[in-house]
Amino acid sequence: MTTLNTTPLAPLLDRLFEEAATAETSAALAEFSPEERARLMRSKTDYPELYGRLKDLPLAVSRETGRLLYMLARGCGARTIVEFGTSFGISTLHLAASLRDNGGGRLITSEFEPSKVARARDHLTARGLIDLVEIREGDALRTLSVDLPETVDLLLLDGAKALYPEILSLAESHLRPGAFIVADNADHSPEYLTRVRSPANGYMSTPFADDVELSMRIG
Ligand SMILES: C[S@@+](CC[C@H](N)C(=O)[O-])C[C@H]1O[C@@H](n2cnc3c(N)ncnc32)[C@H](O)[C@@H]1O
């Protein structure tokens, strides 16, 4: 048995994934013209506008990606994890569960929408996982630029897609050889994909499922 698939976490995740499935995400996104949405997704400066307008939506990883995160973190015996993009904390709950089952550790996650920080904190507290998690409120470009653990075992990129290269740069010198980087919806950041898919940059990388880029730090 694992923390992930037993009470009290499993029923909460079932509920959160159900809510995510019925959330009005498509309707909210339809308020943007395709051109506006594409521009905001690729902008390195206008992302607060996009995420501000989507602040009541979970925008969560899929169930499959959640399980993948848990399995990768368990498999590599992760003790230190950094996450870009907390939202309601669905991915965070998976990662914190993996740390619990690995015997403990530290998860640093980052979110700039205060209401989302509060919601994620409530979920982690209610399920007894908050002791493993430090939620850094504010723009991750700033909050993840200081005080990262000396070595990081796993990095999840799931905030503003255009910033994936910048956030990778902040964490890069901390990634231990063999560390995993999971980037959700990385197709929106061609710059990031080019970087991690070039072996000269010190990564091995492969697209995984429809929307995930799974990479490993080599050098
Ligand atoms: C796709 S959602 C994250 C979903 C979450 N990982 C999950 O699976 O439950 C992206 C989140 O990143 C936040 N975000 C985007 N850019 C950010 C930034 N530069 N700094 C901090 N948070 C950011 C957004 O407010 C949003 O809540």
Side-chain angles (χ1 to χ4, degrees):
M1 298 306 270
T2 69
T3 300
L4 191 65
N5 63 11
T6 50
T7 301
L9 182 55
L12 172 66
L13 286 173
D14 283 344
R15 177 168 68 77
L16 292 175
F17 276 124
E18 267 167 42
E19 287 171 5
T22 54
E24 302 285 331
T25 308
S26 304
L29 290 174
E31 288 176 16
F32 299 90
S33 70
E35 298 75 26
E36 190 184 15
R37 190 174 158 216
R39 181 185 67 75
L40 290 171
M41 290 292 277
R42 297 218 168 177
S43 171
K44 290 185 189 283
T45 53
D46 294 342
Y47 54 87
E49 179 189 343
L50 176 67
Y51 287 101
R53 286 166 67 181
L54 301 177
K55 71 176 169 37
D56 296 323
L57 297 171
L59 308 173
V61 294
S62 66
R63 266 185 195 271
E64 293 74 20
T65 301
R67 293 179 76 80
L68 175 71
L69 289 169
Y70 177 87
M71 289 164 65
L72 287 174
R74 286 299 310 276
C76 76
R79 294 292 184 145
T80 48
I81 299 177
V82 174
E83 176 179 49
F84 171 43
T86 319
S87 195
F88 294 2
I90 294 182
S91 51
T92 321
L93 288 162
H94 287 79
L95 292 168
S98 73
L99 289 181
R100 178 68 79 223
D101 293 343
N102 281 345
R106 183 178 179 208
L107 165 53
I108 296 171
T109 184
S110 50
E111 174 58 57
F112 57 21
E113 287 298 335
S115 62
K116 288 189 156 184
V117 171
R119 212 188 278 233
R121 190 181 302 285
D122 285 351
H123 292 149
L124 289 156
T125 303
R127 270 37 187 191
L129 294 167
I130 194 70
D131 59 304
L132 298 163
V133 183
E134 178 189 343
I135 307 178
R136 296 190 180 176
E137 185 170 336
D139 196 311
L141 284 177
R142 181 176 50 77
T143 64
L144 297 184
S145 70
V146 290
D147 293 335
L148 292 187
E150 197 173 324
T151 58
V152 169
D153 299 312
L154 190 148
L155 171 66
L156 171 61
L157 298 174
D158 197 20
K161 311 305 159 195
L163 300 184
Y164 283 7
E166 284 75 10
I167 301 295
L168 179 64
S169 293
L170 293 178
E172 191 162 70
S173 64
H174 301 266
L175 294 172
R176 69 158 166 85
F180 289 117
I181 305 108
V182 177
D184 205 34
N185 307 117
D187 288 358
H188 293 289
S189 180
E191 181 189 344
Y192 174 81
L193 292 179
T194 301
R195 177 159 159 193
V196 292
R197 289 178 183 174
S198 168
N201 291 326
Y203 297 95
M204 180 179 279
S205 195
T206 185
F208 195 86
D210 275 347
D211 51 359
V212 173
E213 183 77 7
L214 174 60
S215 312
M216 188 175 76
R217 182 72 175 149
I218 304 292

